[in-house]
């Protein structure tokens, strides 16, 4: 389509590939997502820019989507146990404690609109239904692939403390598992489309 | 760019414009969003397809993003009072009761990539930071404009009942108001860009 500058795009692709190799080496890379990054790099007209396989966080913030005045108290990319969260709730929050579960998110740069469209279709088929193109520039067509999996549960505020933490943790782990299973479907759909 | 078929797109635009007029006539249209729809129809290369100004719902579902096995018990596009929600919680849920707050969402069809990019920039500037292009086809470039404003608060499950409804309702109304204020900013940004 002539929107994206192929040279800029390819240079960025090389930088991201090297960064992935470094991340693997230092053990920083989330293993749940590694095989998907490989499949994306294996495509001729896409590469992954950043990714998260899904996680559970405990956040101190007025609202869970705020950045300002917000602190991440705890973060884990696999199931949590009540005993990991409970001691953190004994202190008073600066604003409010939220238990936030997010499904997988991938940011991908595509070279062409046709490739961007193909990826969006694959992502939707795998249950990443809230996927879309975030921006279009000379540097690339920038996609976000994500699910609607998201929980934001109020655990503590000035006049409130959650008294059913066991149940909340159970529901949070169930949500996290649902996100991970969509990531697996994404892997399968990407495999199928690359053969 | 030649991606979109101008005739198909214009026909769809006319249908959506007539539908808006009908919705106004029967009083169906959410007044908080009407002025924004007008600004969008006023652009040469965009039109709104659907919209919601933000709302609070009470949902009976295993997870708040599920469609199957999910029932909307209560829905309101303005602040709720505890007394509206409390009686609904006396019955047992089929799966779980969730209080869900969503910020404004608009779906817009654009004729060109340049217009789509412009709208995404306007939306982000107004705080609708999760906006993106959902699909690109001959019928149009289909955008979703939305915020990260979203709360999903567990109110009742098999082994849990929220005992702090007053506080939860207070937080929900605060979140709804934050969504509405971004809608106001979107109106201002759209006004500015159309002069």
């Amino acid at each position: 389509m002539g929107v994206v500058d192929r040279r800029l795009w390819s240079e960025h692709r090389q930088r991201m590939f090297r960064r992935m190799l470094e991340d693997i080496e230092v053990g920083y890379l989330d293993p749940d997502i590694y095989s998907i990054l490989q499949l994306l790099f294996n495509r001729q007209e896409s590469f992954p820019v950043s990714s998260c396989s899904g996680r559970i966080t405990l956040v101190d913030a007025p609202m869970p989507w705020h950045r300002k005045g917000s602190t991440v108290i705890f973060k884990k990319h696999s199931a949590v146990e009540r005993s990991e969260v409970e001691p953190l709730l004994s202190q008073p929050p600066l604003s409010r404690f939220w238990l936030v579960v997010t499904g997988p998110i991938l940011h991908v740069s595509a070279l062409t609109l046709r490739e961007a469209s193909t990826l969006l279709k694959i992502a939707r088929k795998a249950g990443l239904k809230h996927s879309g193109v975030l921006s279009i520039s000379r540097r690339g067509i920038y996609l976000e692939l994500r699910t609607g999996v998201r929980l934001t549960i109020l655990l503590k505020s000035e006049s409130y403390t959650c008294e059913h933490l066991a149940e909340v943790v159970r529901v949070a782990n169930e949500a996290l598992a649902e996100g991970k299973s969509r990531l697996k479907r994404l892997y399968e759909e990407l495999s199928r489309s690359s053969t």
Side-chain angles (χ1 to χ4, degrees), chain A:
Chain A
M1 306 298 306
V3 184
V4 180
D5 181 319
R6 185 181 280 266
R7 196 178 56 82
L8 282 179
W9 186 83
S10 298
E11 283 169 8
H12 191 199
R13 186 178 196 279
Q14 282 314 310
R15 280 201 304 281
M16 287 299 113
F17 190 71
R18 280 197 298 272
R19 186 187 288 178
M20 183 184 70
L21 295 182
E22 286 163 20
D23 285 349
I24 292 168
E25 205 162 342
V26 296
Y28 178 80
L29 198 70
D30 190 342
D32 286 348
I33 216 150
Y34 173 50
S35 51
I36 291 183
L37 299 189
Q38 280 190 307
L39 281 177
L40 287 170
F41 272 119
N42 203 38
R43 298 177 76 89
Q44 294 304 306
E45 301 191 336
S46 290
F47 65 87
V49 176
S50 65
S51 62
C52 173
S53 67
R55 66 192 188 190
I56 298 178
T57 48
L58 179 67
V59 182
D60 187 345
M63 288 291 175
W65 56 86
H66 288 183
R67 294 283 166 91
K68 272 186 206 162
S70 159
T71 315
V72 176
I73 309 284
F74 171 86
K75 177 162 77 174
K76 200 178 172 190
H77 289 83
S78 52
V80 302
E81 285 178 45
R82 180 183 170 168
S83 60
E84 295 175 280
V85 178
E86 200 154 33
L88 304 171
L89 299 181
S90 58
Q91 51 184 323
L94 279 174
S95 33
R96 291 167 183 145
F97 284 144
W98 299 92
L99 195 72
V100 178
V101 186
T102 41
I105 301 185
L106 290 106
H107 291 108
V108 178
S109 179
L111 180 64
T112 61
L113 281 176
R114 185 208 293 252
E115 170 72 354
S117 263
T118 303
L119 280 180
L120 287 181
K121 274 175 209 149
I122 290 171
R124 263 189 249 299
K125 219 168 161 187
L128 284 85
K129 289 180 188 158
H130 291 253
S131 301
V133 174
L134 295 188
S135 71
I136 299 169
S137 78
R138 289 201 314 133
R139 303 188 69 233
I141 300 164
Y142 194 68
L143 290 102
E144 182 173 79
L145 310 183
R146 61 188 203 91
T147 66
V149 171
R150 184 174 174 81
L151 289 183
T152 51
I153 299 177
L154 183 61
L155 288 188
K156 194 169 181 175
S157 70
E158 213 177 315
S159 63
Y160 170 90
T161 302
C162 170
E163 280 148 19
H164 297 79
L165 192 60
E167 170 70 358
V168 165
V169 164
R170 207 173 64 79
V171 173
N173 286 334
E174 190 184 317
L176 186 75
E178 195 176 321
K180 302 275 181 185
S181 83
R182 303 220 191 156
L183 203 58
K184 218 176 144 192
R185 277 166 59 196
L186 179 62
Y187 174 78
E188 287 158 8
E189 292 296 338
L190 279 171
S191 300
R192 198 167 301 158
S193 99
S194 67
T195 55

